Structure formats: structure tokens, C-alpha cells
Amino acid sequence: MPQIIILPHAEHCPEGAVIEATPGESILDAALRSGIDIEHACEKSCACTTCHVVVREGFNSLEASDELEDDMLDKAWGLEPNSRLSCQALVADEDLVVEIPKYTINQVSEGH
């Protein structure tokens, strides 16, 4: 099973984490299942950018983003070439290193 290495994030994962993922599972679902509460204000419907992550390693193993995801990503804080919406990025068979950005465009956390 591929692993996702979550880099330390002061709020969501202060120590960082290494989690197991199932191929075909989204980065967000794997994180949530492992107790890492990445924001997802639109409930994984690709209608916001609160679950934005930067895939530092393993980016090319992910299927390409579609036009809707790309349009949403254009609104994300701290957009980088390896940015993805974690609700849309499905794990393949390669390990990933993921960074959760410091900020989102959300003014208030929904507390999922």
C-alpha cells in the first residue's frame, strides 16, 4: 500500500505523519481516516479550495486534474505548480509527500 507523508502543519498535524492509503482513495479521505482534519468546506464536491494541498513528491503518479479542479485551484491561497485539491487527487501506487498550506481562503473554519 502506498504511503502519504504529511509534512508538519501547526494546526492540522503538528508532528507530521506517515499514513497508509489505498490506491484510488483521495488524499483527503486517507488523511481524514487517519485523524488529520484537512478542511473541506464543500464536503468534497470540488466547489471550494479549502482542501488545497501541495504534493511535494509523487505528483506525477496522480491522474491529471480536470478543468473544474483547475478552475478551483486558480482561487487557492499559495497556489504552486504541484497544487491539488486533496478531495480530487486520487492516490495511485506511489508514495506521496504532501504539504498542507498555512492558509486557506476560508475566513472561518467549519470545524468538520
Side-chain angles (χ1 to χ4, degrees), residues 59 62-70 73 83-84 88:
F59 182 82
L62 303 173
E63 287 188 25
S65 55
D66 63 18
E67 189 175 341
L68 178 59
E69 182 182 355
D70 290 341
L73 280 169
S83 288
R84 291 296 302 266
Q88 300 300 303

Side-chain angles (χ1 to χ4, degrees), residues 6-9 13-17:
I6 308 285
L7 298 176
H9 181 280
C13 189
E15 303 298 317

Side-chain angles (χ1 to χ4, degrees), residues 35-78:
I36 301 167
D37 192 23
I38 297 174
E39 280 193 64
H40 52 287
C42 73
E43 294 298 322
K44 308 179 218 175
S45 65
C46 197
C48 73
T49 64
T50 58
C51 73
H52 167 231
V53 296
V54 180
V55 181
R56 296 289 179 205
E57 293 180 24
F59 182 82
N60 291 330
S61 71
L62 303 173
E63 287 188 25
S65 55
D66 63 18
E67 189 175 341
L68 178 59
E69 182 182 355
D70 290 341
D71 288 346
M72 286 289 111
L73 280 169
D74 285 342
K75 301 171 187 174
W77 182 90

Side-chain angles (χ1 to χ4, degrees), residues 89-111:
L90 303 181
V91 176
D93 56 355
E94 195 172 308
D95 292 348
L96 303 173
V97 176
V98 173
E99 180 179 356
I100 303 168
K102 185 174 181 178
Y103 301 108
T104 72
I105 63 170
N106 243 16
Q107 292 183 5
V108 178
S109 177
E110 300 294 327

